[in-house]
């Protein structure tokens, strides 16, 4: 026998559409599946879909706006764990506490870009996002103050003060030897 003729391969797969063959009707369709053509969307279902999408976008915008609160709690815990002494770890934590909200405030437009829709009001979520990030920056500034790294006392500014005027002069005296 010639090679490849007359012998059917066991591993061959037929790749034709089985839905048109009569043998496919022997198996019932699973529940919820119909072979009919998709129905044409009417105006009511399209409007409902758009309203559902707008509602979803609004909910996601609020979730994104509340995300800095989680970061605020985590950063507060990390600052508490860092202690009140000045060392490399505490300075790194404070730098992170100031840098992350700063970057978030710079990119408010990018953060809320996916939710831009005329039916979705993103003003309130943006204001909450900004307020929470400002609170996080305030927490970082507070930690700087507790570490003593902010110049808040008069002794921190002594170098810029002019010397005090001398009120009294002393002179004379007898040498003892």
């Amino acid at each position: 026998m010639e090679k490849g003729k007359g012998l059917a391969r066991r591993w061959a797969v037929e790749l034709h559409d089985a839905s048109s063959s009569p043998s496919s009707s022997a198996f019932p369709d699973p529940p919820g599946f119909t072979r009919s053509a998709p129905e044409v969307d009417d105006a009511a279902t399209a409007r409902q879909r758009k309203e559902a999408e707008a509602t979803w976008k609004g909910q996601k915008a609020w979730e994104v706006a509340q995300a800095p609160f989680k970061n605020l709690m985590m950063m507060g815990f990390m600052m508490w764990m860092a202690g009140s002494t000045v060392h490399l770890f505490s300075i790194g934590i404070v730098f992170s506490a100031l840098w992350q909200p700063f970057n978030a405030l710079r990119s408010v437009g990018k953060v809320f870009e996916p939710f831009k829709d005329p039916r979705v009001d993103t003003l309130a979520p943006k204001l909450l996002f900004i307020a929470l990030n400002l609170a996080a920056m305030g927490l970082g500034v507070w930690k700087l103050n507790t570490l003593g790294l902010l110049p808040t006392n008069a002794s921190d500014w002594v170098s810029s003060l002019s010397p005090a005027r001398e009120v009294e002069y002393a002179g004379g005296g007898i040498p003892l030897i």
Side-chain angles (χ1 to χ4, degrees):
M1 262 175 89
E2 289 183 37
K3 191 174 185 177
K5 287 193 176 180
L7 294 174
R9 292 186 228 160
R10 290 184 292 177
W11 58 85
V13 176
E14 295 291 326
L15 298 176
H16 69 282
D17 186 16
S19 64
S20 62
S21 66
S23 64
S24 67
S25 63
F27 298 108
D29 288 337
F33 178 78
T34 57
R35 291 186 185 269
S36 63
E39 296 178 14
V40 178
D41 289 333
D42 57 345
T45 58
R47 186 171 15 104
Q48 286 177 349
R49 186 178 305 130
K50 288 181 180 180
E51 288 174 4
E53 181 182 344
T55 304
W56 178 82
K57 283 183 177 181
Q59 290 173 347
K60 290 297 178 183
W62 277 106
E63 288 178 16
V64 167
Q66 294 170 356
F69 181 73
K70 296 174 188 171
N71 191 23
L72 183 69
M73 291 293 128
M74 179 197 64
M75 195 57 65
F77 178 71
M78 289 176 63
M79 285 182 190
W80 177 71
M81 291 296 291
S84 61
T85 58
V86 179
H87 50 82
L88 187 60
F89 182 70
S90 63
I91 291 175
I93 294 295
V94 171
F95 176 75
S96 175
L98 293 171
W99 186 252
Q100 287 177 354
F102 178 73
N103 278 342
L105 289 173
R106 282 186 20 212
S107 64
V108 171
K110 280 185 197 173
V111 169
F112 287 96
E113 185 70 31
F115 312 113
K116 200 171 193 178
D117 194 340
R119 294 176 305 264
V120 178
D121 182 29
T122 58
L123 179 64
K126 282 182 182 179
L127 290 176
L128 178 65
F129 184 80
I130 290 169
L132 288 174
N133 279 304
L134 287 175
M137 287 185 80
L139 185 66
V141 170
W142 172 79
K143 185 63 176 182
L144 278 176
N145 188 32
T146 59
L147 291 174
L149 297 176
L150 288 182
T152 56
N153 298 325
S155 62
D156 296 327
W157 301 98
V158 168
S159 63
S160 63
L161 296 176
S162 61
R165 201 177 117 234
E166 296 177 15
V167 183
E168 185 177 314
Y169 295 99
I174 303 170
L176 292 176
I177 297 197

